[in-house]
Amino acid sequence: MRIVIMGAPGSGKGTQAALIVKEMGLDHISTGDLLRAAVAEGSELGLRAKEVMDRGELVSDEIVLGLLEQRLQKGGGAGFILDGYPRNIAQAEALDALLERLGQPVDEALQIDVDEEQVVERIAKRAALEGRSDDTEETVRNRLKVYAEQTAPVVDFYARKGILSRVLGEGSIEEVFQRIRGVLQIQSES
Ligand code: AP5
Ligand code: MG
């Protein structure tokens, strides 16, 4: 199965993707994690990406698609869950073209809906615990703005394809996961 998981910064994409992967044996591909790995390596690409990420803007489509293509080649046969990609309509179209070429189209797009106040609260907590460099108040504000302007329209892109499901991302991590399980179960039985 090939799943795209979407939602605002702090909505729980990474947390829920990890749980889905455990249950379904998929490959978890997070473009944010791929970029943070490039930053940690200190490569030139990483240095350029860090500056953009710390402002809360999107890294260029070309760089992210390159990282994604490389990473997809390492995946197993069971499928994958994409977390943090696509993040704008151009990326959604590029992903479609890439997966069509590989004969592996997206089966399911999952949108996690969480109120903005709650995501700000969650990220503030994580900032205190982990110190991710883009979790500062100012950058979070910009990440949310970029999300609303560029990423939110991707939800409609998948709705038009008829493969979108929306899940309420509020409540405990386990409660959200149970909702997602319900959605994926229903889809796989139909
Ligand atoms: P990315 O790493 O994708 O960050 P993001 O989308 O801003 O989202 P987060 O990872 O902060 O949140 P999440 O939804 O994964 O939530 P999580 O599970 O962690 O991207 C970072 C940057 O990289 C971008 O700004 C951009 O610059 C660049 N980038 C990445 N992809 C790109 C692309 N495709 N194109 C261009 N640029 C790209 O949860 C958040 C916190 O809440 C955690 O502490 C968690 O424990 C907690 N939590 C989760 N669920 C719950 C719950 N139910 N109740 C209470 N707490 C919860
Ligand atoms: Mg994440």
mmCIF file of all heavy atoms in Angstrom, residues 68-110:
data_model
loop_
_atom_site.group_PDB
_atom_site.id
_atom_site.type_symbol
_atom_site.label_atom_id
_atom_site.label_comp_id
_atom_site.label_asym_id
_atom_site.label_seq_id
_atom_site.Cartn_x
_atom_site.Cartn_y
_atom_site.Cartn_z
ATOM 1 N N LEU A 68 13.983 12.456 -2.508
ATOM 2 C CA LEU A 68 12.896 11.477 -2.469
ATOM 3 C C LEU A 68 13.149 10.330 -3.455
ATOM 4 O O LEU A 68 12.978 9.159 -3.116
ATOM 5 C CB LEU A 68 11.567 12.173 -2.794
ATOM 6 C CG LEU A 68 10.353 11.262 -2.869
ATOM 7 C CD1 LEU A 68 10.033 10.669 -1.492
ATOM 8 C CD2 LEU A 68 9.136 12.017 -3.401
ATOM 9 N N GLU A 69 13.570 10.675 -4.651
ATOM 10 C CA GLU A 69 13.832 9.635 -5.661
ATOM 11 C C GLU A 69 14.894 8.665 -5.173
ATOM 12 O O GLU A 69 14.747 7.452 -5.294
ATOM 13 C CB GLU A 69 14.271 10.278 -6.986
ATOM 14 C CG GLU A 69 13.095 10.764 -7.802
ATOM 15 C CD GLU A 69 13.471 11.065 -9.251
ATOM 16 O OE1 GLU A 69 13.593 10.125 -10.041
ATOM 17 O OE2 GLU A 69 13.655 12.251 -9.559
ATOM 18 N N GLN A 70 15.957 9.217 -4.592
ATOM 19 C CA GLN A 70 17.038 8.370 -4.043
ATOM 20 C C GLN A 70 16.493 7.438 -2.976
ATOM 21 O O GLN A 70 16.799 6.254 -2.937
ATOM 22 C CB GLN A 70 18.072 9.265 -3.350
ATOM 23 C CG GLN A 70 19.256 9.628 -4.199
ATOM 24 C CD GLN A 70 20.190 10.550 -3.410
ATOM 25 O OE1 GLN A 70 20.195 10.572 -2.174
ATOM 26 N NE2 GLN A 70 20.963 11.331 -4.132
ATOM 27 N N ARG A 71 15.677 8.008 -2.099
ATOM 28 C CA ARG A 71 15.168 7.247 -0.955
ATOM 29 C C ARG A 71 14.189 6.163 -1.398
ATOM 30 O O ARG A 71 14.187 5.055 -0.850
ATOM 31 C CB ARG A 71 14.499 8.221 0.026
ATOM 32 C CG ARG A 71 13.915 7.619 1.255
ATOM 33 C CD ARG A 71 14.969 6.935 2.127
ATOM 34 N NE ARG A 71 14.346 6.310 3.284
ATOM 35 C CZ ARG A 71 13.660 5.173 3.248
ATOM 36 N NH1 ARG A 71 13.526 4.527 2.101
ATOM 37 N NH2 ARG A 71 13.112 4.679 4.339
ATOM 38 N N LEU A 72 13.370 6.455 -2.421
ATOM 39 C CA LEU A 72 12.392 5.472 -2.906
ATOM 40 C C LEU A 72 13.093 4.234 -3.455
ATOM 41 O O LEU A 72 12.586 3.118 -3.346
ATOM 42 C CB LEU A 72 11.506 6.089 -4.003
ATOM 43 C CG LEU A 72 10.322 6.934 -3.544
ATOM 44 C CD1 LEU A 72 9.687 7.652 -4.734
ATOM 45 C CD2 LEU A 72 9.271 6.081 -2.826
ATOM 46 N N GLN A 73 14.279 4.443 -4.010
ATOM 47 C CA GLN A 73 15.015 3.303 -4.568
ATOM 48 C C GLN A 73 15.457 2.319 -3.489
ATOM 49 O O GLN A 73 15.716 1.167 -3.770
ATOM 50 C CB GLN A 73 16.243 3.808 -5.340
ATOM 51 C CG GLN A 73 15.862 4.328 -6.720
ATOM 52 C CD GLN A 73 16.962 5.159 -7.345
ATOM 53 O OE1 GLN A 73 18.097 5.158 -6.870
ATOM 54 N NE2 GLN A 73 16.634 5.876 -8.399
ATOM 55 N N LYS A 74 15.552 2.799 -2.251
ATOM 56 C CA LYS A 74 16.010 1.925 -1.154
ATOM 57 C C LYS A 74 14.861 1.154 -0.515
ATOM 58 O O LYS A 74 15.084 0.329 0.356
ATOM 59 C CB LYS A 74 16.679 2.768 -0.054
ATOM 60 C CG LYS A 74 17.999 3.362 -0.465
ATOM 61 C CD LYS A 74 18.655 3.969 0.779
ATOM 62 C CE LYS A 74 19.746 4.950 0.400
ATOM 63 N NZ LYS A 74 19.854 6.045 1.358
ATOM 64 N N GLY A 75 13.621 1.479 -0.896
ATOM 65 C CA GLY A 75 12.448 0.919 -0.221
ATOM 66 C C GLY A 75 12.214 -0.552 -0.549
ATOM 67 O O GLY A 75 12.712 -1.066 -1.542
ATOM 68 N N GLY A 76 11.440 -1.219 0.331
ATOM 69 C CA GLY A 76 11.077 -2.618 0.089
ATOM 70 C C GLY A 76 9.844 -2.693 -0.799
ATOM 71 O O GLY A 76 9.380 -1.680 -1.317
ATOM 72 N N GLY A 77 9.279 -3.876 -0.950
ATOM 73 C CA GLY A 77 8.158 -4.061 -1.866
ATOM 74 C C GLY A 77 6.788 -3.807 -1.274
ATOM 75 O O GLY A 77 5.804 -3.692 -1.998
ATOM 76 N N ALA A 78 6.699 -3.702 0.074
ATOM 77 C CA ALA A 78 5.378 -3.636 0.714
ATOM 78 C C ALA A 78 4.692 -2.291 0.528
ATOM 79 O O ALA A 78 3.514 -2.147 0.795
ATOM 80 C CB ALA A 78 5.518 -3.942 2.197
ATOM 81 N N GLY A 79 5.445 -1.297 0.084
ATOM 82 C CA GLY A 79 4.857 0.029 -0.081
ATOM 83 C C GLY A 79 5.455 0.998 0.923
ATOM 84 O O GLY A 79 6.402 0.685 1.635
ATOM 85 N N PHE A 80 4.885 2.206 0.962
ATOM 86 C CA PHE A 80 5.481 3.248 1.804
ATOM 87 C C PHE A 80 4.425 4.217 2.282
ATOM 88 O O PHE A 80 3.306 4.258 1.763
ATOM 89 C CB PHE A 80 6.570 4.008 1.020
ATOM 90 C CG PHE A 80 6.106 4.541 -0.308
ATOM 91 C CD1 PHE A 80 5.327 5.689 -0.391
ATOM 92 C CD2 PHE A 80 6.428 3.868 -1.490
ATOM 93 C CE1 PHE A 80 4.892 6.171 -1.611
ATOM 94 C CE2 PHE A 80 6.003 4.350 -2.725
ATOM 95 C CZ PHE A 80 5.228 5.500 -2.781
ATOM 96 N N ILE A 81 4.826 4.978 3.296
ATOM 97 C CA ILE A 81 4.012 6.107 3.715
ATOM 98 C C ILE A 81 4.879 7.356 3.609
ATOM 99 O O ILE A 81 5.988 7.407 4.133
ATOM 100 C CB ILE A 81 3.405 5.911 5.118
ATOM 101 C CG1 ILE A 81 2.574 7.127 5.517
ATOM 102 C CG2 ILE A 81 4.442 5.589 6.189
ATOM 103 C CD1 ILE A 81 1.544 6.832 6.583
ATOM 104 N N LEU A 82 4.387 8.326 2.858
ATOM 105 C CA LEU A 82 5.125 9.567 2.621
ATOM 106 C C LEU A 82 4.656 10.621 3.611
ATOM 107 O O LEU A 82 3.473 10.955 3.654
ATOM 108 C CB LEU A 82 4.825 10.076 1.216
ATOM 109 C CG LEU A 82 5.759 9.670 0.092
ATOM 110 C CD1 LEU A 82 5.318 10.367 -1.195
ATOM 111 C CD2 LEU A 82 7.195 10.036 0.422
ATOM 112 N N ASP A 83 5.592 11.157 4.379
ATOM 113 C CA ASP A 83 5.279 12.115 5.441
ATOM 114 C C ASP A 83 6.007 13.428 5.123
ATOM 115 O O ASP A 83 7.224 13.470 5.102
ATOM 116 C CB ASP A 83 5.718 11.454 6.759
ATOM 117 C CG ASP A 83 6.050 12.400 7.905
ATOM 118 O OD1 ASP A 83 5.760 13.596 7.814
ATOM 119 O OD2 ASP A 83 6.599 11.906 8.906
ATOM 120 N N GLY A 84 5.227 14.468 4.815
ATOM 121 C CA GLY A 84 5.846 15.771 4.526
ATOM 122 C C GLY A 84 6.059 16.033 3.042
ATOM 123 O O GLY A 84 6.659 17.026 2.659
ATOM 124 N N TYR A 85 5.562 15.143 2.219
ATOM 125 C CA TYR A 85 5.645 15.308 0.762
ATOM 126 C C TYR A 85 4.377 14.700 0.166
ATOM 127 O O TYR A 85 4.000 13.611 0.583
ATOM 128 C CB TYR A 85 6.879 14.573 0.211
ATOM 129 C CG TYR A 85 7.198 14.956 -1.232
ATOM 130 C CD1 TYR A 85 8.158 15.917 -1.511
ATOM 131 C CD2 TYR A 85 6.507 14.363 -2.293
ATOM 132 C CE1 TYR A 85 8.432 16.279 -2.824
ATOM 133 C CE2 TYR A 85 6.776 14.736 -3.595
ATOM 134 C CZ TYR A 85 7.744 15.683 -3.861
ATOM 135 O OH TYR A 85 8.010 16.057 -5.157
ATOM 136 N N PRO A 86 3.699 15.312 -0.787
ATOM 137 C CA PRO A 86 3.980 16.609 -1.399
ATOM 138 C C PRO A 86 3.512 17.783 -0.536
ATOM 139 O O PRO A 86 2.564 17.669 0.225
ATOM 140 C CB PRO A 86 3.172 16.543 -2.693
ATOM 141 C CG PRO A 86 2.037 15.612 -2.403
ATOM 142 C CD PRO A 86 2.548 14.627 -1.409
ATOM 143 N N ARG A 87 4.172 18.917 -0.730
ATOM 144 C CA ARG A 87 3.911 20.103 0.072
ATOM 145 C C ARG A 87 3.409 21.277 -0.737
ATOM 146 O O ARG A 87 3.195 22.357 -0.209
ATOM 147 C CB ARG A 87 5.208 20.513 0.758
ATOM 148 C CG ARG A 87 5.167 20.301 2.242
ATOM 149 C CD ARG A 87 6.496 20.735 2.785
ATOM 150 N NE ARG A 87 6.399 21.048 4.175
ATOM 151 C CZ ARG A 87 6.558 20.162 5.143
ATOM 152 N NH1 ARG A 87 6.771 18.900 4.880
ATOM 153 N NH2 ARG A 87 6.484 20.562 6.399
ATOM 154 N N ASN A 88 3.267 21.092 -2.023
ATOM 155 C CA ASN A 88 2.620 22.093 -2.883
ATOM 156 C C ASN A 88 2.115 21.350 -4.126
ATOM 157 O O ASN A 88 2.412 20.146 -4.293
ATOM 158 C CB ASN A 88 3.576 23.255 -3.242
ATOM 159 C CG ASN A 88 4.830 22.784 -3.949
ATOM 160 O OD1 ASN A 88 4.789 21.807 -4.683
ATOM 161 N ND2 ASN A 88 5.934 23.468 -3.746
ATOM 162 N N ILE A 89 1.360 22.065 -4.961
ATOM 163 C CA ILE A 89 0.745 21.376 -6.103
ATOM 164 C C ILE A 89 1.809 20.874 -7.085
ATOM 165 O O ILE A 89 1.688 19.771 -7.637
ATOM 166 C CB ILE A 89 -0.265 22.317 -6.811
ATOM 167 C CG1 ILE A 89 -1.446 22.616 -5.866
ATOM 168 C CG2 ILE A 89 -0.766 21.722 -8.123
ATOM 169 C CD1 ILE A 89 -2.336 21.430 -5.535
ATOM 170 N N ALA A 90 2.882 21.640 -7.275
ATOM 171 C CA ALA A 90 3.939 21.191 -8.203
ATOM 172 C C ALA A 90 4.538 19.870 -7.721
ATOM 173 O O ALA A 90 4.790 18.954 -8.519
ATOM 174 C CB ALA A 90 5.027 22.265 -8.317
ATOM 175 N N GLN A 91 4.726 19.744 -6.406
ATOM 176 C CA GLN A 91 5.269 18.485 -5.871
ATOM 177 C C GLN A 91 4.265 17.348 -6.032
ATOM 178 O O GLN A 91 4.641 16.201 -6.299
ATOM 179 C CB GLN A 91 5.638 18.640 -4.391
ATOM 180 C CG GLN A 91 6.833 19.554 -4.144
ATOM 181 C CD GLN A 91 7.296 19.567 -2.693
ATOM 182 O OE1 GLN A 91 6.769 18.844 -1.839
ATOM 183 N NE2 GLN A 91 8.283 20.394 -2.401
ATOM 184 N N ALA A 92 2.981 17.655 -5.864
ATOM 185 C CA ALA A 92 1.952 16.607 -6.020
ATOM 186 C C ALA A 92 1.952 16.094 -7.464
ATOM 187 O O ALA A 92 1.844 14.888 -7.711
ATOM 188 C CB ALA A 92 0.578 17.161 -5.644
ATOM 189 N N GLU A 93 2.129 17.008 -8.407
ATOM 190 C CA GLU A 93 2.151 16.603 -9.813
ATOM 191 C C GLU A 93 3.427 15.828 -10.137
ATOM 192 O O GLU A 93 3.398 14.822 -10.848
ATOM 193 C CB GLU A 93 1.997 17.836 -10.713
ATOM 194 C CG GLU A 93 0.541 18.304 -10.711
ATOM 195 C CD GLU A 93 0.316 19.681 -11.328
ATOM 196 O OE1 GLU A 93 1.305 20.388 -11.611
ATOM 197 O OE2 GLU A 93 -0.872 20.039 -11.515
ATOM 198 N N ALA A 94 4.547 16.279 -9.564
ATOM 199 C CA ALA A 94 5.819 15.571 -9.793
ATOM 200 C C ALA A 94 5.754 14.158 -9.212
ATOM 201 O O ALA A 94 6.249 13.189 -9.807
ATOM 202 C CB ALA A 94 6.972 16.351 -9.164
ATOM 203 N N LEU A 95 5.125 14.038 -8.042
ATOM 204 C CA LEU A 95 5.002 12.715 -7.409
ATOM 205 C C LEU A 95 4.145 11.782 -8.263
ATOM 206 O O LEU A 95 4.490 10.618 -8.471
ATOM 207 C CB LEU A 95 4.390 12.857 -6.011
ATOM 208 C CG LEU A 95 4.204 11.534 -5.246
ATOM 209 C CD1 LEU A 95 5.563 10.915 -4.910
ATOM 210 C CD2 LEU A 95 3.397 11.756 -3.969
ATOM 211 N N ASP A 96 3.039 12.314 -8.747
ATOM 212 C CA ASP A 96 2.166 11.541 -9.640
ATOM 213 C C ASP A 96 2.942 10.996 -10.830
ATOM 214 O O ASP A 96 2.837 9.822 -11.175
ATOM 215 C CB ASP A 96 1.076 12.470 -10.195
ATOM 216 C CG ASP A 96 -0.277 12.137 -9.617
ATOM 217 O OD1 ASP A 96 -0.313 11.440 -8.592
ATOM 218 O OD2 ASP A 96 -1.284 12.589 -10.187
ATOM 219 N N ALA A 97 3.712 11.890 -11.459
ATOM 220 C CA ALA A 97 4.461 11.501 -12.662
ATOM 221 C C ALA A 97 5.506 10.443 -12.319
ATOM 222 O O ALA A 97 5.653 9.439 -13.026
ATOM 223 C CB ALA A 97 5.124 12.729 -13.284
ATOM 224 N N LEU A 98 6.206 10.656 -11.208
ATOM 225 C CA LEU A 98 7.251 9.712 -10.786
ATOM 226 C C LEU A 98 6.658 8.330 -10.490
ATOM 227 O O LEU A 98 7.154 7.305 -10.968
ATOM 228 C CB LEU A 98 7.963 10.275 -9.540
ATOM 229 C CG LEU A 98 8.944 9.349 -8.820
ATOM 230 C CD1 LEU A 98 10.121 9.003 -9.727
ATOM 231 C CD2 LEU A 98 9.462 10.023 -7.541
ATOM 232 N N LEU A 99 5.574 8.315 -9.717
ATOM 233 C CA LEU A 99 5.002 7.024 -9.312
ATOM 234 C C LEU A 99 4.310 6.322 -10.478
ATOM 235 O O LEU A 99 4.259 5.100 -10.539
ATOM 236 C CB LEU A 99 4.046 7.209 -8.126
ATOM 237 C CG LEU A 99 4.719 7.683 -6.838
ATOM 238 C CD1 LEU A 99 3.703 7.781 -5.707
ATOM 239 C CD2 LEU A 99 5.873 6.773 -6.424
ATOM 240 N N GLU A 100 3.797 7.115 -11.401
ATOM 241 C CA GLU A 100 3.203 6.519 -12.588
ATOM 242 C C GLU A 100 4.284 5.788 -13.399
ATOM 243 O O GLU A 100 4.095 4.679 -13.871
ATOM 244 C CB GLU A 100 2.543 7.603 -13.425
ATOM 245 C CG GLU A 100 1.478 7.061 -14.378
ATOM 246 C CD GLU A 100 0.691 8.191 -15.003
ATOM 247 O OE1 GLU A 100 0.062 8.958 -14.232
ATOM 248 O OE2 GLU A 100 0.750 8.329 -16.232
ATOM 249 N N ARG A 101 5.428 6.457 -13.489
ATOM 250 C CA ARG A 101 6.559 5.854 -14.200
ATOM 251 C C ARG A 101 6.973 4.537 -13.544
ATOM 252 O O ARG A 101 7.353 3.588 -14.201
ATOM 253 C CB ARG A 101 7.728 6.846 -14.165
ATOM 254 C CG ARG A 101 8.556 6.848 -15.417
ATOM 255 C CD ARG A 101 9.449 8.062 -15.538
ATOM 256 N NE ARG A 101 10.386 8.218 -14.458
ATOM 257 C CZ ARG A 101 10.604 9.360 -13.806
ATOM 258 N NH1 ARG A 101 9.919 10.439 -14.131
ATOM 259 N NH2 ARG A 101 11.479 9.442 -12.839
ATOM 260 N N LEU A 102 6.894 4.488 -12.221
ATOM 261 C CA LEU A 102 7.286 3.275 -11.489
ATOM 262 C C LEU A 102 6.136 2.271 -11.409
ATOM 263 O O LEU A 102 6.295 1.176 -10.878
ATOM 264 C CB LEU A 102 7.740 3.643 -10.062
ATOM 265 C CG LEU A 102 8.929 4.594 -9.942
ATOM 266 C CD1 LEU A 102 9.173 4.986 -8.481
ATOM 267 C CD2 LEU A 102 10.197 3.948 -10.514
ATOM 268 N N GLY A 103 4.952 2.657 -11.918
ATOM 269 C CA GLY A 103 3.777 1.776 -11.824
ATOM 270 C C GLY A 103 3.307 1.594 -10.389
ATOM 271 O O GLY A 103 2.773 0.544 -10.027
ATOM 272 N N GLN A 104 3.515 2.626 -9.528
ATOM 273 C CA GLN A 104 3.153 2.510 -8.107
ATOM 274 C C GLN A 104 2.380 3.737 -7.625
ATOM 275 O O GLN A 104 2.896 4.506 -6.809
ATOM 276 C CB GLN A 104 4.424 2.368 -7.263
ATOM 277 C CG GLN A 104 5.261 1.177 -7.627
ATOM 278 C CD GLN A 104 6.455 1.013 -6.685
ATOM 279 O OE1 GLN A 104 6.827 1.920 -5.961
ATOM 280 N NE2 GLN A 104 7.044 -0.154 -6.722
ATOM 281 N N PRO A 105 1.178 3.960 -8.127
ATOM 282 C CA PRO A 105 0.455 5.173 -7.736
ATOM 283 C C PRO A 105 0.067 5.189 -6.251
ATOM 284 O O PRO A 105 0.016 4.142 -5.611
ATOM 285 C CB PRO A 105 -0.805 5.115 -8.603
ATOM 286 C CG PRO A 105 -0.972 3.683 -8.938
ATOM 287 C CD PRO A 105 0.397 3.095 -9.017
ATOM 288 N N VAL A 106 -0.197 6.388 -5.736
ATOM 289 C CA VAL A 106 -0.668 6.544 -4.351
ATOM 290 C C VAL A 106 -2.056 5.913 -4.233
ATOM 291 O O VAL A 106 -2.920 6.144 -5.075
ATOM 292 C CB VAL A 106 -0.744 8.048 -3.981
ATOM 293 C CG1 VAL A 106 -1.386 8.251 -2.626
ATOM 294 C CG2 VAL A 106 0.638 8.679 -4.019
ATOM 295 N N ASP A 107 -2.275 5.086 -3.181
ATOM 296 C CA ASP A 107 -3.578 4.452 -2.985
ATOM 297 C C ASP A 107 -4.473 5.284 -2.085
ATOM 298 O O ASP A 107 -5.691 5.228 -2.176
ATOM 299 C CB ASP A 107 -3.404 3.088 -2.281
ATOM 300 C CG ASP A 107 -2.515 2.154 -3.062
ATOM 301 O OD1 ASP A 107 -2.852 1.865 -4.218
ATOM 302 O OD2 ASP A 107 -1.478 1.717 -2.513
ATOM 303 N N GLU A 108 -3.838 6.015 -1.147
ATOM 304 C CA GLU A 108 -4.617 6.622 -0.071
ATOM 305 C C GLU A 108 -3.920 7.898 0.396
ATOM 306 O O GLU A 108 -2.717 7.888 0.638
ATOM 307 C CB GLU A 108 -4.628 5.581 1.069
ATOM 308 C CG GLU A 108 -5.318 5.988 2.331
ATOM 309 C CD GLU A 108 -6.824 5.995 2.195
ATOM 310 O OE1 GLU A 108 -7.357 5.171 1.443
ATOM 311 O OE2 GLU A 108 -7.451 6.860 2.820
ATOM 312 N N ALA A 109 -4.690 8.978 0.511
ATOM 313 C CA ALA A 109 -4.154 10.217 1.078
ATOM 314 C C ALA A 109 -4.916 10.491 2.370
ATOM 315 O O ALA A 109 -6.143 10.543 2.378
ATOM 316 C CB ALA A 109 -4.329 11.374 0.098
ATOM 317 N N LEU A 110 -4.169 10.635 3.459
ATOM 318 C CA LEU A 110 -4.773 10.828 4.782
ATOM 319 C C LEU A 110 -4.467 12.230 5.266
ATOM 320 O O LEU A 110 -3.302 12.603 5.383
ATOM 321 C CB LEU A 110 -4.083 9.900 5.776
ATOM 322 C CG LEU A 110 -4.681 8.569 6.152
ATOM 323 C CD1 LEU A 110 -3.782 7.917 7.200
ATOM 324 C CD2 LEU A 110 -6.081 8.735 6.707
#
